[in-house]
Amino acid sequence: QSVLTQPPSVSGAPGQRISISCTGSSSNIGTGYGVHWYQQFPGTAPKLLIYGNNNRPSGVPDRFSGSMSGTSASLAIAGLQAEDEADYYCQSYDSSLSGSLFGGGTKLTVL
Amino acid sequence: EVQLVESGGGLEQPGRSLRLSCTASGFNFGDYAMSWVRQAPGEGLEWVGFIRGKAFGGTTEYGASMKGRFSISRDDSKSITYLQMNDLKAEDTAVYYCSRDVYSSGWYFQEKWGQGTLVTVSS
């Protein structure tokens, strides 16, 4: 079981705003280690979406945003589009594990 | 253009060994840490481990379940990073991705990813 907990699935209609939570603990997000988010389409490699809690790499639309508070982080997608349907993973460092870890992933369905 | 190409995957028997390679191009390979991440069929991402760049001694770190059986190395002259997997188990069956890592907010994230190579462990 992942130390970073994500909802297995979320859904929303086109144009809506959704958020995906990533709940950690005092040994990872709560210690201030950055949270990063990845997007993965079926059969393809993951792609970096957000790094360092709330930074977008070049080419990622500003509809995607990240935030962090306490021991949790969130990925928000505004103006939902059909092509956003994918799996999303959060990631951080855990000091008790002395390594990186991923959340279990969230499947986004665009209705 | 940054490119990462994994190779070496395939079908292997339990208890045997396998070495994966990740050949990089389009950037100064020695300056970057490189990670391996795996994904079992239908499952989520699992961090295998990584190797730091030469400026940081090329030291390695591993996920808890990988320690002892897996080892990561690099050949900066060839721009290749390797994942040596020993005593393979059925649960090692997965797509293995390599990535170029960047340091931020206390640790590294996977900035660029290869397309992955499938490892199947079965008798």
Side-chain angles (χ1 to χ4, degrees), chain B residues 85-98:
Chain B
M85 302 184 292
N86 298 327
D87 187 23
L88 285 165
K89 305 178 186 305
E91 51 264 38
D92 295 323
T93 295
V95 174
Y96 286 74
Y97 298 100
C98 74

Side-chain angles (χ1 to χ4, degrees), chain A residues 12-84:
Chain A
Q16 281 188 331
R17 181 183 187 276
I18 64 95
S19 66
I20 297 172
S21 62
C22 176
T23 302
S25 68
S26 58
S27 63
N28 41 69
I29 299 175
T31 307
Y33 293 106
V35 178
H36 320 293
W37 292 89
Y38 302 87
Q39 177 189 56
Q40 185 181 34
F41 297 105
T44 69
K47 168 194 165 185
L48 179 66
L49 201 61
I50 297 286
Y51 67 93
N53 300 324
N54 56 10
N55 300 288
R56 286 185 309 276
S58 173
V60 173
D62 60 6
R63 300 187 296 106
F64 294 89
S65 63
S67 64
M68 193 270 287
S69 178
T71 58
S72 294
S74 289
L75 171 71
I77 308 175
L80 204 58
Q81 299 179 4
E83 56 261 38
D84 298 332

Side-chain angles (χ1 to χ4, degrees), chain A residues 32-34 36 38 40 44-48 51-53 89 91-93 97-104, chain B residues 37 39 43-47 61-64 67 97 104-116:
Chain A
Y33 293 106
H36 320 293
Y38 302 87
Q40 185 181 34
T44 69
K47 168 194 165 185
L48 179 66
Y51 67 93
N53 300 324
Y89 295 89
Q91 179 204 29
S92 187
Y93 177 81
L97 298 176
S98 298
S100 183
L101 71 161
F102 290 92
Chain B
V37 176
Q39 186 170 35
E43 301 295 324
L45 303 174
E46 182 178 23
W47 183 70
E61 307 288 348
Y62 299 94
K67 292 177 183 176
Y97 298 100
S104 171
S105 305
W107 192 242
Y108 296 81
F109 62 89
Q110 283 67 68
E111 183 196 28
K112 300 289 184 183
W113 297 66
Q115 85 290 347

Side-chain angles (χ1 to χ4, degrees), chain B residues 3-7 21-25 29 78-81 98:
Chain B
Q3 282 201 320
L4 301 170
V5 179
E6 300 93 339
S7 59
S21 301
C22 171
T23 302
S25 61
F29 180 76
K78 297 180 179 178
S79 296
I80 298 177
T81 184
C98 74

